[in-house]
Amino acid sequence: MICSLSGELAQEPVVSIKSGNIYEKRLIEKYIDANGREPTTGQPLALTDLVTIVKIGNSSNNNSNGAGTKPRVGTTTSIPGMLQMFQNEWDALMLETFTLRQQFESVRQELAHSLYQYDAACRVIARLIKERDAAKSALANTPIRTVTNNNNNNNNNNNNNNNNDQMDVENTQKLPQDILTKVGDLSKALSAQRKKRSKPEKLPTTEEIKSYAILASNEAQQSTGGLSSVDQHGSLVVVGSGGDDGEVTVYDNDSSSVKKSLKGHTKRVESVAFTPNGRSVVSGSRDRTVRLWNVESGQSQSAKYSGEVLSVNVHPSGDIVAVGGSDRSWALFDISSGSSSLNQILKNGNAANGPCGAVRFHPDGAILGVGSDDGQISLWDISQNKRAITLTAHTQAVRSISFSENGYFMVSCDDSVAKVWDLRKSTCLQTFDIDGKHGHSVSFDHSGSYIAIAGSSLTIVNLSGKSSFEITKQLDGQGGLYNRAIWSLDSQTLTTVSEDGLIKLWGSQ
């Protein structure tokens, strides 16, 4: 009698009166206690539903309870059968051993991999802790250096701006060594030349400046947003579109004709600049790209920027371009290989508390001036990537900055005022009220004698003494808002661009 649960010969068989199945008594009783059901049919089953099967032996059996003798399993009734059974059990044991060995090897490999990952994680954590401690140490040892305007007329502005002093944390990123050497050598050479330079013989007098009028007015491009930016090299003028067409145009003042139309930007062009040799043009746009153009071929290379590009300026060496962005950053790009590449070599990602809308290299090339929307102007030592001076006097966004050629003075403007600074003393010399009209740009001429202020009007200021300036000429109502103004190399003419889309050439009649 085979048990329906174990599949083996039942030693104490019982039968279910509900299903007729035979079970080992001890097994079925445990099953009923646990489940209360028939194992094979799933019907409810109680202990009272089980009937014990009694094996009746012959009269000569001495077994007192009358149970029969337990029969042998068929495979164990002979020696060959028993040997076969032992062999089968041995084979099963070997297969199980092999399976366990495989599982052991798999677990061992997983453990080794986990230990390797743990060791790598420990090394990374140790390096991060070291970098964190170094950053804390640098932050703790970095001084605060802020220079404010000491002019008595601007004391109220100083009180408002002193609360916005910034802490300069040393930046670890530096210029590549070859470029660093070139910048240092050029700075020394230019500084020595600058001290020996005299003013041009043909420099216009104040009387000639007072007679300035429009000599020519031409339309360089069809743009719904007017002209937003301008730069000049010889007779060539490059202008940027203020509309979403993103066009950059190279214009010849002598022939009053368009030399080349450069198309590639997809949004407003905020700033343009010639390289010193006049063969290339750099442009920055609100489409978050900087482009380097070959004037002759019209081909360009572009580089993506992290924010909208608000200002660009070319280093005196012609190998570096400075970029100011809407994401409060400024960066330097290497253009030494010409129009074949445009590679970012240095970036300061947290240079101000607002967009950096004006960037300009000092004439020596060692300092970068950065004007921002928080009203501050920072002078950065590009060789160390460190802020050298912070000037706080503007109460509005700084729109434009320009250095005098001798390097002593700087002029800046916001929407309401233009300020002239003495960089030797880090003080504001004079403030010119723009009479509530918009101020968009300021520009020193090459001699450092005249300043052009472009906005709702065109104002020309001249250096009347060693360190004093006065308004010489103011022109109003000539075609709306002037966005930019740039002097010719000999200071004889002044070129402006405005929202009416016209390039105007100014000079004495």
Side-chain angles (χ1 to χ4, degrees):
M1 298 182 184
I2 305 302
C3 175
S4 297
L5 282 174
S6 64
E8 297 179 353
L9 189 65
Q11 297 182 11
E12 193 176 358
V14 293
V15 63
S16 169
I17 63 175
K18 292 188 175 181
S19 66
N21 293 328
I22 296 175
Y23 301 99
E24 181 69 56
K25 184 177 180 180
R26 57 184 176 82
L27 295 179
I28 190 62
E29 286 180 348
K30 292 179 181 179
Y31 188 90
I32 292 174
D33 289 340
N35 300 287
R37 292 183 176 276
E38 174 81 26
T40 56
T41 63
Q43 298 177 349
L45 187 66
L47 293 177
T48 55
D49 296 328
L50 301 176
V51 177
T52 302
I53 300 175
V54 179
K55 298 178 182 179
I56 306 298
N58 54 35
S59 59
S60 61
N61 196 329
N62 295 327
N63 194 336
S64 59
N65 60 6
T69 302
K70 178 181 178 181
R72 290 179 180 270
V73 179
T75 56
T76 61
T77 56
S78 64
I79 290 177
M82 295 181 66
L83 291 175
Q84 183 64 41
M85 180 185 68
F86 292 153
Q87 183 65 51
N88 293 339
E89 292 181 356
W90 174 261
D91 293 342
L93 181 60
M94 290 299 99
L95 290 174
E96 184 178 2
T97 302
F98 176 76
T99 302
L100 290 175
R101 284 179 180 175
Q102 285 184 320
Q103 294 176 350
F104 169 75
E105 288 297 326
S106 176
V107 171
R108 190 167 67 85
Q109 290 179 0
E110 291 178 1
L111 179 60
H113 184 66
S114 298
L115 290 174
Y116 175 78
Q117 289 181 325
Y118 171 77
D119 184 59
C122 289
R123 291 196 299 269
V124 171
I125 291 172
R127 177 172 58 82
L128 292 176
I129 291 175
K130 184 178 179 180
E131 292 177 356
R132 182 204 63 185
D133 294 341
K136 285 184 177 180
S137 177
L139 183 63
N141 296 328
T142 302
I144 301 175
R145 186 181 180 188
T146 302
V147 180
T148 57
N149 176 20
N150 294 323
N151 194 306
N152 292 332
N153 295 331
N154 296 299
N155 286 336
N156 292 333
N157 291 343
N158 289 341
N159 293 334
N160 294 331
N161 288 322
N162 284 339
N163 295 327
N164 296 324
D165 293 349
Q166 294 180 340
M167 178 178 291
D168 297 334
V169 180
E170 181 178 358
N171 294 283
T172 57
Q173 189 179 8
K174 298 291 189 298
L175 286 173
Q177 187 58 45
D178 58 335
I179 296 179
L180 190 62
T181 302
K182 185 183 296 184
V183 168
D185 293 343
L186 181 64
S187 177
K188 293 178 182 178
L190 290 176
S191 179
Q193 295 173 9
R194 172 165 56 79
K195 295 176 182 178
K196 301 176 183 178
R197 185 180 302 156
S198 60
K199 292 184 178 181
E201 294 182 0
K202 295 183 179 180
L203 185 69
T205 64
T206 56
E207 294 302 320
E208 290 175 327
I209 293 293
K210 290 179 180 179
S211 67
Y212 264 31
I214 297 176
L215 302 179
S217 179
N218 297 285
E219 189 175 60
Q221 56 181 238
Q222 299 290 335
S223 175
T224 57
L227 301 177
S228 60
S229 51
V230 65
D231 196 16
Q232 185 168 359
H233 183 274
S235 65
L236 295 182
V237 174
V238 60
V239 295
S241 170
D244 287 340
D245 57 346
E247 184 176 353
V248 177
T249 304
V250 180
Y251 186 83
D252 192 336
N253 267 340
D254 287 349
S255 63
S256 299
S257 63
V258 174
K259 179 179 177 62
K260 184 73 72 172
S261 292
L262 309 173
K263 296 183 179 180
H265 289 296
T266 58
K267 289 187 178 180
R268 176 185 173 95
V269 178
E270 286 291 351
S271 185
V272 292
F274 272 111
T275 56
N277 59 19
R279 299 173 185 171
S280 302
V281 168
V282 179
S283 59
S285 168
R286 287 192 176 271
D287 63 3
R288 297 175 178 246
T289 62
V290 184
R291 285 187 176 268
L292 177 65
W293 306 85
N294 185 297
V295 174
E296 287 297 327
S297 66
Q299 298 297 315
S300 72
Q301 293 290 329
S302 67
K304 294 292 291 182
Y305 197 65
S306 53
E308 296 178 342
V309 180
L310 304 180
S311 181
V312 297
N313 188 237
V314 180
H315 190 267
S317 67
D319 294 338
I320 303 173
V321 172
V323 174
S326 62
D327 59 343
R328 306 188 303 170
S329 70
W330 61 263
L332 301 181
F333 286 79
D334 179 15
I335 59 170
S336 57
S337 58
S339 59
S340 61
S341 65
L342 190 63
N343 303 315
Q344 182 175 297
I345 54 176
L346 180 66
K347 183 174 183 181
N348 194 304
N350 193 22
N353 291 327
C356 298
V359 293
R360 180 75 61 173
F361 283 107
H362 187 271
D364 292 345
I367 298 295
L368 178 67
V370 179
S372 53
D373 279 15
D374 58 0
Q376 293 191 351
I377 303 170
S378 300
L379 303 183
W380 292 82
D381 180 354
I382 63 173
S383 63
Q384 300 295 322
N385 194 12
K386 292 176 63 175
R387 194 192 313 261
I389 298 174
T390 300
L391 304 172
T392 57
H394 287 282
T395 59
Q396 301 178 42
V398 178
R399 299 296 186 188
S400 175
I401 58 176
S402 179
F403 294 97
S404 63
E405 188 61 22
N406 61 14
Y408 297 157
F409 304 110
M410 181 185 73
V411 61
S412 60
C413 77
D414 57 32
D415 282 341
S416 300
V417 297
K419 292 181 177 291
V420 181
W421 302 81
D422 187 338
L423 298 180
R424 296 166 292 183
K425 301 177 182 179
S426 301
T427 57
C428 179
L429 294 177
Q430 285 179 257
T431 299
F432 295 97
D433 192 347
I434 307 179
D435 297 327
K437 300 176 182 179
H438 294 290
H440 271 205
S441 78
V442 288
S443 176
F444 262 108
D445 77 321
H446 195 66
S447 70
S449 301
Y450 296 105
I451 300 171
I453 305 173
S456 297
S457 63
L458 182 60
T459 304
I460 300 176
V461 177
N462 75 292
L463 177 64
S464 58
K466 288 186 176 181
S467 58
S468 61
F469 294 80
E470 63 182 12
I471 295 177
T472 303
K473 180 74 172 179
Q474 190 164 21
L475 303 166
D476 294 314
Q478 298 290 329
L481 189 66
Y482 294 101
N483 287 323
R484 291 289 185 271
I486 188 75
W487 292 93
S488 62
L489 186 61
D490 58 6
S491 305
Q492 293 292 329
T493 59
L494 182 67
T495 302
T496 61
V497 293
S498 52
E499 291 190 347
D500 58 7
L502 297 178
I503 299 177
K504 296 184 177 70
L505 182 64
W506 303 77
S508 59
Q509 293 180 329

